[in-house]
Amino acid sequence: MTFDELNLRPEILRAISDLGYEKLMPVQEEVLPILLNEKTDIVALAQTGTGKTATFGIPLVNSLNFGTSFTEAIILSPTRELCMQIANDITSYAQHINNATIVPVYGGASITTQITNIKKGAKIIVATPGRMLDLMRRKVIDISKVQVVVLDEADEMLSMGFQEDLDAILAQTPEDKNIWLFSATMPADVEKIARSFMNEPITITVGTRNSGAENVKHYYYLIHAKDRYLALKRIADFYPNIYAIIFCRTKNETQDIADSLIRDGYNADALHGDLSQAQRDHVMNKFRNKNLQMLVATDVAARGLDVFNLSHVINYNLPDEPEQYIHRSGRTGRADKDGISIAIINLKEKYRIKQLEKITGKEFIKAKIPNGKEVCQKQLFNIVNKMQNVDMSNEEEIENFLPQIYSQFDWLSKEELIKRFVSVEFNRFLNYYHNAPDLNVDESKESSAEGSGSNKKRERQKSRRGDNDNSSANNGEFATISINMGRRSGTVPQRVIGVINETVKNRDIRIGHIDIYDTYTLVEVDAKHVVEIFNAFDNRDDNKYFVDLAEPQPAAERTKAPKRDGGRDRDGGRDRKSSRDRSRGSDFRGKSDRRGGKSSSQSKSRKR
Ligand code: AMP
């Protein structure tokens, strides 16, 4: 379909032709005719880079009345960079229309300047939710006449914690406005927004729902956790022309890995929220211009970066939320080019690959970390290739030096000469990879070694629990876990459920009885999700809560709110410390409970 067939204002057609757009992109084919011809709410599932800004920008510019100055449309987006990008794009669609005022506002920049800009008149405001709310509270922005609210990258906004701001903004919009929601994925909290605030939205999915880009191949490497960085270096060496984002989970990890890569001679830099805006801009520009090969980044910081044509996306650590993996991997494999998304995982994390396969609908191929010889071979051919394709435009200047160079080398044969030139670059690799160890985990050997590890131990305990389950009747599929939160810190059952909910994103996990003691709590949870729960707690950044398997509480004891003199630790002789605490040699539960803390018993057998 072409834009001429859409009945657009001639000024917009001119702008589109100036921009060089010829045909509609798939999301535009699906959504543009609807938004141009109907007043409706819409949920469009499409990823960034698919042409979605034009999908909502063109209908807005086409329908709004630029003869008046009050605000008729607001676009909410997760980051400052995206706000600026959207405002620029829409300004270009409206470039031939008089008085088309499109104003971006976002945090981290002077609010005074933004207030001045809005006061001059803002037909369309593009905002981050926090700044939007701030300006509404200052009565600078009046949204009482808004016709359309666009929620762009809704899943990102929610995962960045903007839920409350969005709720507050949407609550103040007029009843008869329309909401156009764009999101790459549809997690439960986005569905909730659609349910709570939208009126019978039309839902359009472009491409496969929740899936990654089509031409991305997904690989995972199984290594020991201690070898993660070595594995990363090997991957980087194996792909000499790599142009990648390496995703880490925390700012500290991001900085550490970038520092290590730089120290080890790689063309890498860090991007995270502890850098100033100027520093972030500098790094992003270097990366955009391909003066930087490897960008080590947190998810939040990378959102501001409009680079999608990566050769690789590397999950140095998998994201806590599987949906985030789709965002990460969607940055490669664009424009019909093949892309590679890599996850470096240890045995404990292997179950997460299954989870990702389910959510992306793609197979994850187990790949082998190349050995030293393979890396050297790859580097060698890269050097040879580089030599073959070297830019020879300075040939004439080099000519001047050649006689002297020839005479210096005249004692060497052609073969010797080639060997020496190649060695200049190659020796570094040969030296480094001489006797390099195999980093791959051999699963068949590891399964017995892992038997002493925490997961296997938990599995064993779990099956033991299943064998002689003496907990309440009919709860065969429950396992009992302990959490280091107790009555002394004011714990109530709702808070326990809240902590589990905020840590483990899977809302299908059922919770059974909750027994709160002075310094810890026993909770019955779906046995089949126990490992997932442990991993989610292990991955908490704040290290605040720890869980471990506990012996199920006998029903009779539970109802008596027992004095637990002697405690089950002594009776059962089980070690209930979490893996973290075990390694630190401390016991999170404190002592009083062992001597007989009281429990408050609650039955909460329900789906969260
Ligand atoms: P977006 O998903 O909005 O970030 O768009 C990705 C890129 O596609 C932007 O650079 C747009 O300018 C460009 N684009 C959007 N629509 C079209 C189109 N119909 N034809 C060619 N390029 C487009």
Side-chain angles (χ1 to χ4, degrees):
M1 195 188 273
T2 64
F3 288 94
D4 293 333
E5 299 165 51
L6 289 174
N7 229 353
L8 293 168
R9 290 175 64 156
E11 300 98 319
I12 299 180
L13 280 179
R14 224 174 103 206
I16 287 172
S17 145
D18 292 348
L19 287 167
Y21 297 179
E22 286 168 5
K23 288 201 328 219
L24 274 73
M25 291 167 89
V27 64
Q28 295 163 354
E29 293 234 352
E30 298 258 6
V31 179
L32 267 179
I34 299 174
L35 295 184
L36 287 167
N37 298 311
E38 282 179 54
K39 261 184 81 56
T40 178
D41 287 356
I42 199 160
V43 172
L45 292 175
Q47 308 216 345
T48 315
T50 52
K52 64 184 170 54
T53 314
T55 309
F56 58 77
I58 290 173
L60 283 183
V61 175
N62 199 60
S63 67
L64 298 183
N65 174 7
F66 291 102
T68 58
S69 64
F70 56 86
T71 301
E72 283 184 68
I74 56 174
I75 299 165
L76 299 172
S77 95
T79 63
R80 150 198 142 115
E81 286 78 10
L82 203 55
C83 277
M84 295 197 295
Q85 208 176 303
I86 293 169
N88 277 341
D89 284 3
I90 298 185
T91 304
S92 64
Y93 306 139
Q95 60 184 298
H96 301 301
I97 297 176
N98 290 335
N99 303 321
T101 43
I102 295 126
V103 182
V105 294
Y106 38 79
S110 158
I111 199 161
T112 328
T113 316
Q114 293 176 357
I115 291 173
T116 313
N117 289 341
I118 287 171
K119 285 194 169 155
K120 282 189 212 151
K123 186 56 54 181
I124 302 174
I125 296 176
V126 191
T128 48
R131 183 53 61 99
M132 180 80 199
L133 202 55
D134 191 350
L135 289 165
M136 281 165 61
R137 286 186 178 138
R138 291 172 190 238
K139 307 232 176 303
V140 177
I141 293 180
D142 171 11
I143 59 171
S144 62
K145 295 194 184 112
V146 157
Q147 294 176 20
V148 177
V149 178
V150 179
L151 303 178
D152 190 32
E153 306 217 347
D155 50 353
E156 293 280 4
M157 281 196 283
L158 292 173
S159 74
M160 285 171 77
F162 284 129
Q163 172 93 53
E164 277 180 21
D165 292 353
L166 286 182
D167 290 350
I169 295 166
L170 289 172
Q172 291 190 44
T173 52
E175 272 288 308
D176 61 351
K177 50 94 196 15
N178 286 124
I179 298 181
W180 300 348
L181 184 152
F182 288 78
S183 192
T185 60
M186 197 69 181
D189 43 8
V190 177
E191 260 168 29
K192 195 167 149 220
I193 289 252
R195 267 200 320 275
S196 319
F197 291 100
M198 297 173 78
N199 185 16
E200 295 180 12
I202 299 174
T203 301
I204 305 254
T205 306
V206 184
T208 326
R209 183 180 155 120
N210 273 1
S211 90
E214 276 316 305
N215 30 350
V216 178
K217 287 205 168 57
H218 302 264
Y219 294 109
Y220 70 95
Y221 292 96
L222 200 56
I223 44 101
H224 290 291
K226 68 175 173 43
D227 291 332
R228 213 178 277 274
Y229 177 66
L230 286 182
L232 173 68
K233 284 209 307 182
R234 233 180 250 192
I235 294 165
D237 287 342
F238 193 67
Y239 295 107
N241 299 315
I242 194 168
Y243 178 49
I245 300 184
I246 297 156
F247 284 101
C248 294
R249 253 197 332 242
T250 61
K251 295 174 204 168
N252 280 347
E253 184 180 66
T254 304
Q255 192 63 54
D256 282 353
I257 299 304
D259 287 346
S260 303
L261 285 171
I262 295 165
R263 195 189 52 227
D264 289 339
Y266 294 86
N267 180 10
D269 213 334
L271 184 70
H272 56 71
D274 281 352
L275 303 175
S276 69
Q277 188 61 48
Q279 285 170 315
R280 272 185 280 167
D281 288 344
H282 175 69
V283 173
M284 286 197 265
N285 276 336
K286 261 200 312 185
F287 192 59
R288 267 188 212 110
N289 300 335
K290 299 204 170 177
N291 289 329
L292 186 66
Q293 269 193 291
M294 283 188 280
L295 181 73
V296 191
T298 57
D299 290 293
V300 175
R303 271 172 204 144
L305 183 68
D306 52 348
V307 173
F308 296 98
N309 53 343
L310 304 171
S311 67
H312 293 74
V313 163
I314 300 181
N315 293 267
Y316 186 76
N317 265 304
L318 284 172
D320 290 339
E321 295 185 34
E323 268 90 11
Q324 193 60 45
Y325 179 89
I326 295 177
H327 286 287
R328 290 180 176 185
S329 58
R331 287 185 171 269
T332 182
R334 290 294 172 98
D336 292 335
K337 282 196 198 137
D338 287 339
I340 295 177
S341 178
I342 286 173
I344 307 176
I345 59 160
N346 61 25
L347 264 182
K348 240 174 86 179
E349 298 164 318
K350 207 183 150 196
Y351 79 97
R352 302 198 60 194
I353 297 296
K354 288 265 167 306
Q355 226 179 31
L356 293 175
E357 286 187 325
K358 211 163 137 204
I359 191 171
T360 57
K362 302 274 177 63
E363 187 195 359
F364 279 56
I365 301 158
K366 185 177 171 191
K368 277 193 79 180
I369 297 277
N371 60 31
K373 192 172 160 207
E374 286 161 335
V375 173
C376 288
Q377 209 171 33
K378 196 80 183 273
Q379 287 289 345
L380 182 59
F381 286 116
N382 184 54
I383 294 168
V384 173
N385 226 2
K386 246 164 99 180
M387 236 182 243
Q388 234 172 354
N389 299 317
V390 70
D391 173 13
M392 294 297 289
S393 50
N394 297 319
E395 204 172 350
E396 274 175 31
E397 278 166 62
I398 294 173
E399 291 283 341
N400 299 330
F401 304 100
L402 282 179
Q404 199 185 338
I405 294 171
Y406 287 152
S407 75
Q408 210 165 337
F409 285 143
D410 67 359
W411 60 282
L412 288 168
S413 68
K414 180 182 160 196
E415 287 74 22
E416 267 300 314
L417 196 59
I418 291 175
K419 254 193 259 175
R420 275 163 197 262
F421 264 91
V422 169
S423 300
V424 171
E425 282 252 350
F426 194 50
N427 279 351
R428 180 165 74 92
F429 285 98
L430 277 183
N431 292 339
Y432 180 77
Y433 281 110
H434 182 64
N435 286 337
D438 182 3
L439 299 181
N440 297 285
V441 168
D442 180 345
E443 286 179 81
S444 60
K445 282 192 195 143
E446 286 300 321
S447 58
S448 59
E450 278 285 304
S452 58
S454 52
N455 265 359
K456 272 281 153 24
K457 185 164 184 178
R458 286 165 183 159
E459 290 294 342
R460 270 207 315 275
Q461 286 175 319
K462 214 168 41 159
S463 62
R464 199 185 322 146
R465 188 198 65 78
D467 288 343
N468 358 291
D469 187 358
N470 59 352
S471 76
S472 55
N474 300 325
N475 73 346
E477 352 73 273
F478 277 130
T480 306
I481 60 169
S482 60
I483 304 185
N484 60 325
M485 51 195 300
R487 191 182 0 228
R488 267 199 220 149
S489 54
T491 299
V492 290
Q494 288 75 5
R495 179 71 194 122
V496 177
I497 295 175
V499 167
I500 296 176
N501 275 342
E502 88 194 15
T503 310
V504 193
K505 304 295 177 201
N506 182 351
R507 298 288 145 125
D508 290 334
I509 297 174
R510 290 171 316 133
I511 293 182
H513 285 98
I514 297 176
D515 296 316
I516 301 175
Y517 294 84
D518 280 351
T519 56
Y520 71 101
T521 293
L522 298 183
V523 190
E524 284 184 335
V525 293
D526 264 341
K528 64 175 185 287
H529 291 293
V530 161
V531 179
E532 180 183 348
I533 294 170
F534 283 137
N535 280 298
F537 273 89
D538 276 354
N539 286 332
R540 279 185 72 103
D541 278 344
D542 58 5
N543 286 352
K544 204 166 156 194
Y545 300 109
F546 305 121
V547 290
D548 209 347
L549 263 189
E551 202 55 6
Q553 178 82 332
E557 198 177 341
R558 184 185 296 126
T559 49
K560 275 191 274 167
K563 279 245 177 224
R564 295 171 53 242
D565 211 358
R568 283 163 301 158
D569 271 355
R570 254 181 267 164
D571 293 345
R574 272 168 292 275
D575 173 8
R576 295 206 336 243
K577 284 181 277 181
S578 78
S579 52
R580 280 168 206 249
D581 275 274
R582 205 175 290 132
S583 61
R584 288 195 209 120
S586 71
D587 183 347
F588 68 72
R589 287 183 300 126
K591 296 198 173 76
S592 66
D593 290 302
R594 290 198 185 163
R595 289 194 228 107
K598 288 200 182 96
S599 112
S600 74
S601 178
Q602 302 271 340
S603 184
K604 293 252 172 271
S605 196
R606 68 184 191 202
K607 208 161 163 163
R608 289 179 297 144

